[in-house]
Amino acid sequence: MLICPQCKFENPNSNKFCQNCGTSLTHKVCPECSTDDVPVNALRCHNCGTECGTVFWAIIAKEMTGEALGVEGDEVDKGGVGVEGDEGAISFSSPLSPSSQIALGSYLDSQERYQLLDSLPAQTETATITDVGVRVLDCQPYQISPIEAILRSQQSDLVTPSVEASAIPRLAKLYIALQSQGQRGIPPIHDAWQQGDIQVVIIEDRSDWQPLLDLWQEETTSSLKILHWCYQMTQLWALLEPVNCRQSLLDLSNLRLDEDQTLALQRLYVESSNSQPATESPEDAQAQTSAIPEEPLTIQALGRVWQALFRQSQRTQFGSVVQMLGDLDVGKIHTIAQLRSRLEEISVELEALGTATLPPIKEKNTAVPTIPESDEPEDIISKTDDMPTVVLAMQLSSLEDAGRTDVGRQRHHNEDYFGIETKIQKLEFPKNRVLQGHSLYILCDGMGGHAGGEIASELAVNTLRQYFQEHWIANQLPTEDSIREAVYLANEAIYKLNQQDARSGVGRMGTTLVMLLIQDTQAAVAHVGDSRLYRLTRKRGLEQVTVDHEVGQREITRGVEASIAYARPDAYQLTQALGPRDENSINPDVGFFEINEDTLLLLASDGLSDNDLLETHWQTHLEPLLSSGANLERSVTDLIELANQHNGHDNITGILVRAKVRPNLES
């Protein structure tokens, strides 16, 4: 099955073009020179030489027994999690695939899909290689892999296949289990297979991501930023501990940063029952060799990693960090909960001294009392939210958007309509770059039948666009009164058309409205009806910003229990809409908020939000979009497809807005 890169339609393997949108399945466009006849299996563009192939990281490993890891045989696969390799060496003189030897330019698999781009390290008499990592070119990038098929089916809730029952290597099960938790620090898995006792796992290639050590040693990196990375390591430690992969945090070359400077792992390393201490700088990042474990793994190992980072970066340890590392070393800090508590205390101290140049670990902090060992890590944050911290001024660093509407699977015409107007102005100075954003996003879901609802929704969008073109003063958000006036004018335009056409009753056309205005890091939202605005941040997760104007919600505000309010047959009937009645019948909700951290905003019609679709799937379909590398155009298409799978009874419209910010050091 070939997955179209543009619309995600599933095509037969024999297709040369997508049956749905016509996109070529054999050639692609070079992102550098726009040449449109680059073969999909080519590493570089034949015109400009830019590397534009689909490259992954391949891990080749000997399988290890559960006993070698200190795990009972029956426990190896519990919860769909497995473990890797034994102490034997991989023999590179024999082929892993029947078609070729393992050499530069050859293939790892018999289907000749994954081609080696790196030379494999040679064994020596003193080092027994048990684990190798290399870059590979995917020569069939649009072909869905068995692993991808499983993950797609799980996300769609179509089936939930047993990972244990599949012919999936144990090492691959680790990535699948961690990927299901939505942790972006773990590289996503792409493919995997096993031949004999050799496991091959194909994951995202992060070999060119910035090493943590590089940014750690930069003078402009703040102490708070360093504390934040330490805190992220404690989060990853807690995630990796149940699957025996804490060793992944102890190799400095394995610690990377994504484009948002968030800590990430290049790959996973599985620890044995006794694990090696922190390694500072492996001679060869591609190969892992067998070694004699020195001691059981404890959180003291994290302290040694941090000491190694300070030492190799030649950066002086600061303030209370020295005391914390000392307490870690002598065993005064026993749990991850206590370690996080100490990091939060140090963060507060630095803010009090006015040394903050980047966001702290949390929005609010205070000195944290000693946390009993029985407390869960989540409890720490709830106990430390009493005292506000220094609020840093933020400025816009990027603003991107994408919108799409679809008729759905049951309607014959589309009554939804949307509009996007974005103006970005970039100001460059010798020591600073300022990005000024000025954006208007409007989504309307019309009602009134053919030649009614679609007219109302389009008329509302155009009326609002014209109003703000004339009344939105540059560099300043419109006032609440101005926004309300715009909504009333849109209502009046539709109402007059209803009166003019002598429409009555259910024949009167109308529309819902959700509208977002962004000026730099300031935002305003207005809505009428049940079209919604959602906001997603890493700290707070998914939030529904607007409250539906419908009977059930009205009853809840009057004190009726939700179960009773929505048991009414008219619970989902709108209490407000633009157009059916004059302006005295509507009262648009208008609100303002600041964008003080990287934020994803989603305007959605009810065809997209019905049945808690977004609340159910936000971790898989929305949270990854906070990353700058995620394509919003493709992602909004994925959302439409998701809604068609689970809803499909109505028109579906979504607008995605990604706003990224950074501290304004000039303020």
Side-chain angles (χ1 to χ4, degrees):
M1 179 189 304
L2 298 176
I3 306 299
C4 174
Q6 183 65 34
C7 70
K8 300 300 182 181
F9 186 79
E10 299 176 356
N11 295 269
N13 290 336
S14 59
N15 277 26
K16 293 185 177 180
F17 297 92
C18 175
Q19 292 178 187
N20 184 55
C21 68
T23 297
S24 174
L25 301 177
T26 59
H27 293 80
K28 58 187 174 183
V29 178
C30 173
E32 184 66 27
C33 68
S34 299
T35 296
D36 60 2
D37 60 346
V38 181
V40 296
N41 63 350
L43 176 63
R44 298 185 180 277
C45 171
H46 58 78
N47 183 51
C48 68
T50 296
E51 183 174 308
C52 55
T54 304
V55 176
F56 290 100
W57 188 259
I59 301 168
I60 310 168
K62 268 279 196 176
E63 185 171 20
M64 190 181 273
T65 63
E67 183 179 357
L69 288 166
V71 181
E72 296 296 330
D74 293 339
E75 295 179 354
V76 171
D77 283 336
K78 281 187 178 179
V81 174
V83 288
E84 69 169 313
D86 72 68
E87 296 299 324
I90 297 174
S91 174
F92 297 113
S93 60
S94 60
L96 282 183
S97 69
S99 61
S100 63
Q101 301 289 320
I102 296 195
L104 184 65
S106 63
Y107 296 92
L108 287 181
D109 59 319
S110 58
Q111 291 77 32
E112 298 190 349
R113 175 170 182 172
Y114 300 106
Q115 186 177 30
L116 281 174
L117 298 179
D118 298 325
S119 298
L120 294 172
Q123 294 184 75
T124 68
E125 294 182 0
T126 58
T128 303
I129 299 173
T130 61
D131 184 301
V132 175
V134 288
R135 294 170 75 238
V136 294
L137 173 68
D138 187 352
C139 298
Q140 302 170 31
Y142 301 155
Q143 177 69 49
I144 190 169
S145 72
I147 298 293
E148 287 181 310
I150 289 174
L151 295 176
R152 284 167 65 93
S153 64
Q154 288 175 336
Q155 290 176 3
S156 301
D157 293 332
L158 299 178
V159 293
T160 306
S162 169
V163 176
E164 295 89 345
S166 320
I168 299 174
R170 291 174 175 175
L171 178 58
K173 294 175 185 177
L174 289 171
Y175 288 91
I176 294 173
L178 293 173
Q179 188 171 336
S180 68
Q181 299 183 41
Q183 172 52 253
R184 67 197 191 105
I186 310 298
I189 189 170
H190 174 68
D191 203 351
W193 65 90
Q194 183 156 352
Q195 184 171 334
D197 59 354
I198 299 297
Q199 302 179 91
V200 181
V201 179
I202 310 294
I203 61 174
E204 180 181 40
D205 178 25
R206 296 180 170 183
S207 59
D208 60 347
W209 286 27
Q210 184 177 27
L212 173 63
L213 180 60
D214 287 359
L215 198 56
W216 190 290
Q217 64 189 0
E218 288 188 7
E219 293 182 1
T220 55
T221 300
S222 72
S223 299
L224 276 175
K225 189 64 175 177
I226 287 176
L227 284 178
H228 191 54
W229 288 327
C230 292
Y231 194 85
Q232 288 175 336
M233 284 190 217
T234 66
Q235 292 175 314
L236 283 172
W237 181 279
L239 181 74
L240 297 171
E241 185 172 17
V243 294
N244 293 328
C245 286
R246 293 166 296 180
Q247 186 72 30
S248 311
L249 287 166
L250 307 187
D251 181 346
L252 298 194
S253 68
N254 198 45
L255 303 179
R256 304 286 173 141
L257 298 173
D258 67 10
E259 72 277 3
D260 299 324
Q261 296 184 359
T262 298
L263 184 69
L265 300 177
Q266 182 174 343
R267 55 158 296 180
L268 294 177
Y269 288 108
V270 182
E271 65 210 48
S272 59
S273 56
N274 289 319
S275 298
Q276 303 175 51
T279 55
E280 297 185 11
S281 181
E283 294 180 0
D284 189 348
Q286 287 185 319
Q288 179 163 309
T289 59
S290 61
I292 299 174
E294 296 187 7
E295 60 183 63
L297 201 56
T298 68
I299 61 170
Q300 291 176 331
L302 274 183
R304 289 192 289 272
V305 170
W306 298 339
Q307 289 174 339
L309 284 163
F310 278 110
R311 183 165 57 252
Q312 291 201 29
S313 65
Q314 297 183 340
R315 185 175 183 128
T316 304
Q317 297 175 17
F318 49 88
S320 302
V321 169
V322 177
Q323 182 65 46
M324 179 190 67
L325 292 176
D327 289 347
L328 258 178
D329 193 47
V330 300
K332 290 185 178 180
I333 300 176
H334 304 286
T335 67
I336 283 291
Q338 292 172 338
L339 184 54
R340 288 180 179 174
S341 175
R342 288 290 290 273
L343 289 168
E344 291 164 358
E345 289 177 348
I346 297 171
S347 175
V348 173
E349 291 177 11
L350 290 178
E351 288 180 312
L353 293 172
T355 57
T357 59
L358 282 169
I361 292 172
K362 303 181 304 173
E363 287 186 310
K364 295 182 178 181
N365 284 297
T366 186
V368 182
T370 302
I371 304 297
E373 290 188 21
S374 59
D375 280 14
E376 291 295 326
E378 291 79 3
D379 293 338
I380 299 173
I381 295 178
S382 65
K383 294 177 181 178
T384 59
D385 283 343
D386 300 325
M387 187 178 75
T389 64
V390 178
V391 178
L392 298 173
M394 307 300 287
Q395 65 181 23
L396 198 64
S397 63
S398 68
L399 185 63
E400 303 169 84
D401 50 57
R404 187 184 164 192
T405 186
D406 186 83
V407 68
R409 293 186 172 178
Q410 295 184 19
R411 299 293 177 88
H412 299 294
H413 61 284
N414 194 344
E415 295 182 302
D416 287 3
Y417 200 79
F418 72 90
I420 297 176
E421 285 194 15
T422 301
K423 299 177 184 178
I424 302 294
Q425 183 178 9
K426 185 172 68 173
L427 305 176
E428 293 278 358
F429 303 102
K431 296 184 179 181
N432 193 21
R433 180 175 69 91
V434 177
L435 196 71
Q436 294 179 340
H438 179 99
S439 299
L440 175 65
Y441 306 96
I442 310 169
L443 186 153
C444 291
D445 179 357
M447 61 196 76
H450 185 63
E454 58 263 50
I455 293 175
S457 58
E458 183 175 357
L459 181 56
V461 169
N462 291 335
T463 302
L464 291 164
R465 286 180 56 241
Q466 182 177 351
Y467 175 88
F468 287 112
Q469 286 172 358
E470 299 173 0
H471 295 85
W472 189 344
I473 302 173
N475 304 325
Q476 183 178 337
L477 270 181
T479 64
E480 179 177 344
D481 288 343
S482 179
I483 294 172
R484 286 183 176 277
E485 180 182 359
V487 176
Y488 289 140
L489 286 175
N491 182 83
E492 182 181 6
I494 303 169
Y495 177 73
K496 283 184 176 179
L497 197 56
N498 276 322
Q499 296 295 92
Q500 175 183 318
D501 295 344
R503 293 174 180 256
S504 61
V506 295
R508 295 178 73 81
M509 58 185 176
T511 183
T512 68
L513 164 71
V514 60
M515 177 171 60
L516 174 67
L517 304 89
I518 295 179
Q519 180 66 58
D520 303 332
T521 59
Q522 305 296 316
V525 58
H527 90 286
V528 174
D530 61 356
S531 292
R532 296 176 178 176
L533 174 68
Y534 288 88
R535 175 174 55 195
L536 174 65
T537 62
R538 293 192 179 96
K539 292 180 181 178
R540 303 177 66 91
L542 183 70
E543 302 172 286
Q544 182 181 327
V545 178
T546 56
V547 178
D548 296 345
H549 294 145
E550 58 188 16
V551 172
Q553 190 62 50
R554 182 194 65 192
E555 295 304 297
I556 290 175
T557 59
R558 293 175 175 176
V560 178
E561 292 185 8
S563 58
I564 298 175
Y566 277 94
R568 296 175 52 131
D570 62 347
Y572 294 96
Q573 181 177 320
L574 296 182
T575 58
Q576 290 193 55
L578 298 184
R581 296 185 290 272
D582 63 26
E583 67 176 42
N584 294 321
S585 65
I586 65 167
N587 181 27
D589 287 343
V590 179
F592 296 83
F593 60 92
E594 291 189 20
I595 302 173
N596 51 23
E597 60 180 305
D598 292 350
T599 302
L600 184 76
L601 297 154
L602 171 62
L603 291 79
S605 67
D606 59 349
L608 180 56
S609 63
D610 275 352
N611 300 316
D612 294 329
L613 182 74
L614 298 170
E615 288 80 358
T616 302
H617 296 276
W618 69 270
Q619 290 178 308
T620 55
H621 284 72
L622 292 179
E623 189 172 31
L625 308 187
L626 285 167
S627 171
S628 300
N631 184 303
L632 292 188
E633 294 283 355
R634 184 177 303 168
S635 300
V636 75
T637 298
D638 291 344
L639 284 174
I640 298 292
E641 179 59 28
L642 181 71
N644 268 321
Q645 290 175 4
H646 293 272
N647 292 331
H649 58 279
D650 199 354
N651 307 145
I652 306 165
T653 304
I655 301 174
L656 286 170
V657 183
R658 180 168 59 213
K660 302 184 81 66
V661 297
R662 56 189 174 89
N664 183 0
L665 304 182
E666 302 298 319
S667 62

